[in-house]
Amino acid sequence: QRHQAISAGGVGLVYLCDTFPGLALKASSPYWFDRVSYRTRMFACAALMAGSFVLVALGHTMGIQLLGVALASAQCSMGEASMLSLSTRYSPHDGGAAELTAWSSGTGFAGIFGYAWIVVFHLWGGLSQSLTTLLALVITVAYLCVFFLMLGAPPPVDNAEEE
């Protein structure tokens, strides 16, 4: 089994690729989020997530794998900003608190789940790191199912309240 050592400079590159795209997306989002529907953003998040898994798993160069890391950064930031802004459309009296609680619990659980995924499939299951990462494509499908099938539509925005 081949293991790659990563230099200190490599760690810095991973950090930049994991931080900069998300930061740029969050900084620019106030200028364009209102022009893109939540549905479109969720499809974009799913595409970014799937792209990140495929590029990291199958990339034969560090540059391709770092592009996968950058896509994951953009996906996380777009998904987080979108879900937080969407949660404001739900009333706490109509179950909106449940949506926000589920979102925040999922965010906190993501790291534990990701680590458990690697332990179960790679360490215990003996699958390669690439195959373990490709199996995570099922998470992309689950992401879309939760948004489109489980999350109820929020009430329409009353434009009179915004004035």
Side-chain angles (χ1 to χ4, degrees):
Q1 189 173 11
R2 186 181 73 145
H3 292 282
Q4 293 178 329
I6 189 165
S7 66
V11 171
L13 279 174
V14 171
Y15 178 76
L16 286 174
C17 289
D18 187 40
T19 305
F20 184 73
L23 184 62
L25 193 137
K26 285 182 180 179
S28 68
S29 64
Y31 302 105
W32 60 273
F33 260 28
D34 62 324
R35 295 182 180 97
V36 181
S37 71
Y38 287 103
R39 294 176 58 86
T40 300
R41 284 188 253 164
M42 289 305 100
F43 280 122
C45 283
L48 290 167
M49 184 187 305
S52 72
F53 290 150
V54 169
L55 291 178
V56 168
L58 301 178
H60 294 293
T61 66
M62 184 185 287
I64 296 295
Q65 291 176 329
L66 289 174
L67 178 60
V69 171
L71 292 181
S73 172
Q75 182 274 323
C76 290
S77 293
M78 181 183 294
E80 177 183 43
S82 296
M83 291 297 96
L84 271 177
S85 64
L86 180 62
S87 72
T88 64
R89 304 231 351 245
Y90 291 90
S91 166
H93 306 294
D94 296 333
E99 281 87 0
L100 190 55
T101 300
W103 174 82
S104 61
S105 297
T107 301
F109 188 67
I112 297 167
F113 179 81
Y115 185 75
W117 187 275
I118 297 297
V119 168
V120 168
F121 291 108
H122 181 61
L123 298 180
W124 294 347
L127 299 178
S128 69
Q129 188 70 42
S130 293
L131 185 55
T132 299
T133 304
L134 287 173
L135 283 175
L137 286 167
V138 73
I139 297 169
T140 304
V141 175
Y143 186 85
L144 290 173
C145 287
V146 166
F147 182 79
F148 288 106
L149 302 176
M150 295 177 68
L151 184 65
V157 175
D158 182 9
N159 290 334
E161 290 179 8
E162 293 179 356
E163 294 177 5

